Amino acid sequence: MIIITIAFACSFALIILGGGLYEFLVVDPAWPKRLDLIQPAQGGINRKRFWVPVHAAFELSLIAALFQAWSLADVRVWLWVALISHAVMRLWSAFDFIPKALAFERADASTITESAARAWTRRSVFRFPLDLVTSGAMIAALIATGERV
């Protein structure tokens, strides 16, 4: 059962990684010139429909995996690495990136400069290494668990 829980958490971590890649490779290069692309009220993408459920699923499955693997020190260490790197990224996002993203989503296009939007996208890419650490730690936890079975 523990390997299934860790596999789910690992899958959600990799989905988050893929979502981040999609945003900075596809969405972020385009929207600074077309603000409506990220404004749901204007027919643009609604990022909350992806990010809220996937983060909730990852966090719940990671917590469940930590409880199940508590007695397995080699697995627990990797799960802690994943939890800490993810928590750092989420806190940084909550206090910096998300409020600014919501402001861009609600703003009148005439009030946002392309340079301000580009500055946000350039800084946003620095969250990706934390997602890489989280995903790598989840893969390591899955491997460590698999070696026990």
Side-chain angles (χ1 to χ4, degrees):
M1 180 64 170
I2 186 172
I3 197 162
I4 292 170
T5 305
I6 292 174
F8 272 113
C10 186
S11 297
F12 290 124
L14 292 169
I15 290 168
I16 290 169
L17 188 68
L21 274 171
Y22 175 78
E23 279 207 358
F24 80 75
L25 292 176
V26 177
V27 178
D28 288 353
W31 78 260
K33 289 186 180 197
R34 288 218 23 229
L35 191 60
D36 61 310
L37 291 176
I38 61 156
Q39 294 182 320
Q42 303 298 323
I45 61 171
N46 186 343
R47 297 184 227 201
K48 291 179 286 253
R49 294 177 111 182
F50 173 78
W51 289 114
V52 171
V54 77
H55 278 292
F58 173 65
E59 290 155 6
L60 290 173
S61 60
L62 177 57
I63 290 167
L66 260 171
F67 278 113
Q68 290 178 354
W70 197 256
S71 64
L72 309 173
D74 53 335
V75 176
R76 186 178 64 229
V77 149
W78 289 114
L79 295 174
W80 272 112
V81 170
L83 178 69
I84 292 166
S85 62
H86 182 72
V88 167
M89 189 277 304
R90 292 285 279 156
L91 287 169
W92 185 15
S93 294
F95 291 104
D96 185 26
F97 291 100
I98 293 170
K100 289 176 182 150
L102 292 174
F104 285 129
E105 287 179 9
R106 295 182 188 123
D108 182 302
S110 64
T111 64
I112 301 295
T113 65
E114 184 180 340
S115 63
R118 291 253 177 252
W120 184 91
T121 61
R122 278 191 301 275
R123 284 184 31 255
S124 179
V125 84
F126 291 111
R127 294 179 297 169
F128 188 70
L130 289 168
D131 287 335
L132 275 174
V133 169
T134 301
S135 295
M138 288 307 306
I139 291 168
L142 187 60
I143 290 168
T145 305
E147 290 173 349
R148 295 178 159 273
V149 176

